[in-house]
Amino acid sequence: MKKYFLSTLCFSIPIIFSRAGSQILTMLNIAIIGQYGAKNLSTFSLTSSPYFTFVLIALCLTSGLPISFAKNKNNNDLLSHKLFISSLHWIVLSFSAAVACVFLSMTVKNPEVQRVFILLALSAPGFIGTFVFGSSLEALGKAKINALTTFTAIPLNAGLNLLLIKLLPTVGVVEACVIGMGLTRIIMTAFLIQQVLKIIPLKFAANFLSKEYQTTIWQEFWEDIKFGAPIAFTYGLRSSGTTALTLFIAKFGNQSVASFSIVAQLMLLSTLISRGVSSASIIKVSELIGKRQGQEINSLVFSSVAVTAFLIGILSAILGVAPDYVFRLFTNDSMILTSLTSVVIPLFFVFITDAIAGVLIGALRALGDRWIPQLAFGLSIVVVPFILQVSTLGNFPSILPNILATLFVTQLIAMSIIIWRYTKYFKNINGYASL
């Protein structure tokens, strides 16, 4: 178990950094646009929210690709075949995102918003490509390359935005930043493709004219989409749940909403850790299946849970030792800071249940259990506003701790269901040795 703990920790850290880097890239554009007034920020929010939602759902649909790469890591012919399918996903989903943006541009009357949607449509291949080929590199054991690419892109994106704002004064701040953002993602995608092709030469392009090969390609393409559907559905559930919870909190005033938004940002940090370790767990479990070493999966999964608990423990310790300093990174409002002091301990329990559930879901996805764990996890946040609405828990001034306590209980129930599914899959552990 010790060897898996260290290897999972080392493999997870660059994946976590690449996820964090992507988040920083998005926040960077918001920060730069926000410096030029509320109108520009409003325009960007109006256009980017539906765009990023669609892109994230599209990316969820491709979440099975790293599993395919990891399972066939030592078979160059199959890897080349899977790379061809990945490229097909990239083209189809980029085209779909672009069409959605063009459609959205036709539903609004504001010319600036229309132009921004068109520019976002042109940037779709860059956004989707960074995930498709970045996750492919991670599955091939090159997670550090993806992390370095993402962090190198941060100053590049900032530089392009500021340069284009000066060079294109007639275009507008939002449009200049969207161009800079799109160019950055396209450059990243081109580099990641080059790195993937160094490992897997694309051999099957000539066979595409074969009708039999085309049929096989499209069958596998739709299998990948069906594999990713539960993840996309869960994302929709959790997004809806978060929106419903925000609307519920809004009736308690701006202070409560502001406090919850800070808590949500801290939960995002926890999620970056758990999803990073979960991604590493998916890849490692898939590798063991590909090597016919199913009997090692239990040790790997337990090690992944231990790695998650270790990293979440560090985050919680920082928050516990210096809560005032952490909260002041987000606000200096004394009333909000006072309300946040009561959430430190509840946050730890929410962090740990979310993290453990995320790792086990990842392992079960690699083993083919797609719907039940995902649904249990997605519903754990959807039911929270309804519980608060019909109970005495939804009362001011203790609303924030009560939200976290309720979320902890619903996540604990979801985690119990996930553990039950995991136990069921490993009832006969020796059977997985021949996977």
Side-chain angles (χ1 to χ4, degrees):
M1 185 169 168
K2 183 179 178 182
K3 71 168 183 177
Y4 282 126
F5 179 89
L6 292 174
S7 65
T8 304
L9 178 63
C10 293
F11 190 56
S12 298
I13 287 173
I15 296 177
I16 293 168
F17 271 95
S18 67
R19 303 292 184 274
S22 292
Q23 190 66 31
I24 291 169
L25 273 170
T26 302
M27 292 168 64
L28 172 72
N29 286 284
I30 294 171
I32 291 174
I33 292 169
Q35 300 301 311
Y36 290 87
K39 180 180 176 294
N40 287 315
L41 191 56
S42 175
T43 301
F44 183 72
S45 298
L46 177 67
T47 52
S48 64
S49 293
Y51 174 73
F52 285 130
T53 298
F54 185 84
V55 167
L56 283 170
I57 290 172
L59 297 182
C60 288
L61 294 175
T62 65
S63 59
L65 295 176
I67 295 174
S68 299
F69 277 99
K71 282 183 179 179
N72 301 292
K73 192 174 178 180
N74 297 316
N75 188 325
N76 284 335
D77 287 339
L78 276 174
L79 283 177
S80 183
H81 173 68
K82 294 297 180 184
L83 178 57
F84 196 86
I85 294 173
S86 298
S87 303
L88 186 63
H89 276 286
W90 174 45
I91 293 166
V92 171
L93 293 175
S94 297
F95 179 75
S96 302
V99 169
C101 284
V102 172
F103 173 77
L104 288 170
S105 72
M106 294 188 292
T107 64
V108 294
K109 294 181 179 179
N110 187 315
E112 184 184 10
V113 174
Q114 288 177 339
R115 292 193 298 270
V116 172
F117 271 128
I118 296 299
L119 289 170
L120 286 171
L122 294 172
S123 69
F127 276 93
I128 292 177
T130 52
F131 177 83
V132 170
F133 298 107
S135 61
S136 299
L137 276 174
E138 289 172 354
L140 294 167
K142 303 293 183 182
K144 289 179 183 177
I145 294 176
N146 191 34
L148 287 170
T149 303
T150 306
F151 271 87
T152 304
I154 294 170
L156 174 64
N157 194 170
L160 281 172
N161 283 3
L162 297 172
L163 181 65
L164 290 169
I165 288 170
K166 286 188 182 249
L167 293 178
L168 304 173
T170 57
V171 167
V173 171
V174 179
E175 292 162 81
C177 286
V178 170
I179 293 170
M181 185 172 65
L183 285 173
T184 301
R185 292 286 183 169
I186 289 168
I187 292 168
M188 287 173 67
T189 298
F191 178 76
L192 292 171
I193 290 172
Q194 180 194 34
Q195 294 301 308
V196 171
L197 290 175
K198 282 183 179 179
I199 304 168
I200 317 169
L202 193 58
K203 300 176 183 176
F204 279 80
N207 295 336
F208 192 70
L209 295 175
S210 160
K211 188 175 180 180
E212 183 181 350
Y213 187 67
Q214 288 181 31
T215 303
T216 303
I217 286 285
W218 284 109
Q219 283 175 345
E220 293 190 30
F221 174 85
W222 289 115
E223 282 299 314
D224 288 336
I225 294 292
K226 284 192 286 184
F227 184 91
I231 296 97
F233 185 72
T234 301
Y235 170 77
L237 272 180
R238 291 187 72 82
S239 296
S240 301
T242 303
T243 302
L245 196 51
T246 304
L247 292 173
F248 173 79
I249 294 168
K251 69 181 184 180
F252 296 101
N254 292 333
Q255 181 187 325
S256 295
V257 174
S259 299
F260 179 70
S261 68
I262 292 170
V263 167
Q265 290 301 312
L266 292 171
M267 288 172 64
L268 178 61
L269 286 175
S270 164
T271 300
L272 286 172
I273 292 171
S274 64
R275 298 303 172 269
V277 180
S278 178
S279 296
S281 176
I282 290 169
I283 292 167
K284 292 294 185 182
V285 168
S286 301
E287 284 180 5
L288 289 175
I289 293 172
K291 293 175 181 177
R292 304 291 192 269
Q293 294 176 353
Q295 71 277 10
E296 296 289 319
I297 292 175
N298 249 343
S299 296
L300 173 61
V301 173
F302 291 150
S303 297
S304 299
V305 169
V307 167
T308 308
F310 172 70
L311 295 174
I312 291 294
I314 293 173
L315 176 63
S316 300
I318 294 169
L319 186 59
V321 170
D324 191 60
Y325 177 78
V326 173
F327 293 140
R328 282 186 185 278
L329 294 173
F330 299 95
T331 183
N332 286 315
D333 187 299
S334 58
M335 293 184 68
I336 294 175
L337 289 170
T338 302
S339 70
L340 288 171
T341 55
S342 61
V343 305
V344 175
I345 293 175
L347 262 178
F348 167 74
F349 289 104
V350 171
F351 284 170
I352 200 70
T353 50
D354 175 82
I356 293 173
V359 171
L360 292 176
I361 286 172
L364 284 167
R365 274 171 56 202
L367 293 165
D369 190 6
R370 305 167 193 176
W371 277 105
I372 293 177
Q374 292 285 347
L375 282 174
F377 192 59
L379 289 169
S380 66
I381 192 169
V382 171
V383 299
V384 171
F386 297 102
I387 293 172
L388 293 169
Q389 188 73 47
V390 300
S391 70
T392 57
L393 294 171
N395 294 322
F396 189 81
S398 57
I399 184 63
L400 204 55
N402 284 351
I403 286 172
L404 293 174
T406 308
L407 182 58
F408 167 66
V409 172
T410 57
Q411 286 189 168
L412 194 62
I413 294 168
M415 190 173 73
S416 301
I417 294 169
I418 294 162
I419 291 172
W420 164 68
R421 294 296 293 178
Y422 183 81
T423 306
K424 184 179 178 182
Y425 261 69
F426 282 87
K427 208 169 188 179
N428 182 12
I429 186 68
N430 292 327
Y432 283 88
S434 60
L435 280 171

